[in-house]
Amino acid sequence: MSEKNLNLNESRKKLKELVESIDFAMFTSNLSKPPFHTVPMSTKKVDINGNLWFLSGRTSQHNINIQIDEKVLLNYANSGDFEFLTVYATAKIVNDKAILEDLYGKADDAWFDGVEDPNLTAICVAPEDAHYWEAKSGKLVSLLKMGVGAITGKQPDMGKEGDLAL
């Protein structure tokens, strides 16, 4: 992989592109006191500042953890296209009605009793550090390149990876 670290504008664009492409993150909280707590969560929005937004239950374990320690880790993976993103961030619980209405969709009825549900909260995740990996080609070509590299002993150009300046 060739390394390409991105500036702020490129980073926000790449973050948004990868997050919207992958959608689900493994959302890890309780980073200061293992065992960590990890749950899959769907990203509802990436705002203009690069903040990631999620909906969550007020009484959920990750909300409780964020109230104690606001540091979280998000891992996004699209193994089919060899796209990966890891984000270290600060999270905060948000109860603003306008934000909840903006983020809430019909599919969220599976977890909540509508946007008026008293258990409904949003989580705003402000990235502090992020790193991405993405293949130039899809999974099949990448696997073929790895095989050729193993046979020839030459490191193949698998794609790009780098830090996001957030």
Side-chain angles (χ1 to χ4, degrees):
M1 293 239 159
S2 59
E3 186 167 330
K4 181 168 185 193
N5 297 326
L6 304 177
N7 67 34
L8 181 60
N9 288 334
E10 293 171 327
S11 292
R12 286 184 177 162
K13 183 179 176 184
K14 177 59 70 181
L15 178 83
K16 184 175 177 68
E17 173 189 313
L18 287 170
V19 167
E20 289 178 350
S21 165
I22 300 170
D23 181 24
F24 275 87
M26 293 305 292
F27 189 110
T28 303
S29 61
N30 200 39
L31 299 180
S32 64
K33 188 179 175 202
F36 306 133
H37 179 260
T38 303
V39 294
M41 293 184 71
S42 176
T43 309
K44 301 303 282 184
K45 179 180 182 176
V46 181
D47 70 23
I48 193 164
N49 297 315
N51 294 315
L52 309 171
W53 289 87
F54 300 86
L55 289 178
S56 181
R58 182 177 316 282
T59 59
S60 67
Q61 187 61 53
H62 42 278
N63 274 40
I64 293 166
N65 291 341
I66 290 168
Q67 292 171 5
I68 297 166
D69 177 8
E70 61 190 12
K71 299 300 182 187
V72 297
L73 181 67
L74 307 176
N75 288 297
Y76 290 87
N78 177 351
S79 60
D81 288 335
F82 270 32
E83 295 177 322
F84 305 93
L85 174 68
T86 184
V87 180
Y88 178 73
T90 299
K92 68 178 178 180
I93 309 298
V94 177
N95 298 300
D96 183 285
K97 179 121 170 110
I99 291 172
L100 295 175
E101 288 174 350
D102 179 51
L103 299 177
Y104 198 88
K106 188 67 178 158
D108 298 313
D109 287 345
W111 291 274
F112 302 101
D113 292 327
V115 74
E116 299 295 331
D117 188 331
N119 192 43
L120 179 65
T121 66
I123 299 175
C124 177
V125 175
E128 295 178 14
D129 185 64
H131 196 85
Y132 74 99
W133 300 263
E134 62 183 351
K136 279 185 173 179
S137 316
K139 185 176 186 177
L140 184 61
V141 173
S142 295
L143 290 171
L144 184 61
K145 285 181 179 182
M146 284 188 262
V148 169
I151 293 168
T152 64
K154 295 181 182 176
Q155 186 174 8
D157 183 6
M158 298 296 295
K160 293 181 278 184
E161 57 116 353
D163 294 324
L164 300 180
L166 303 166

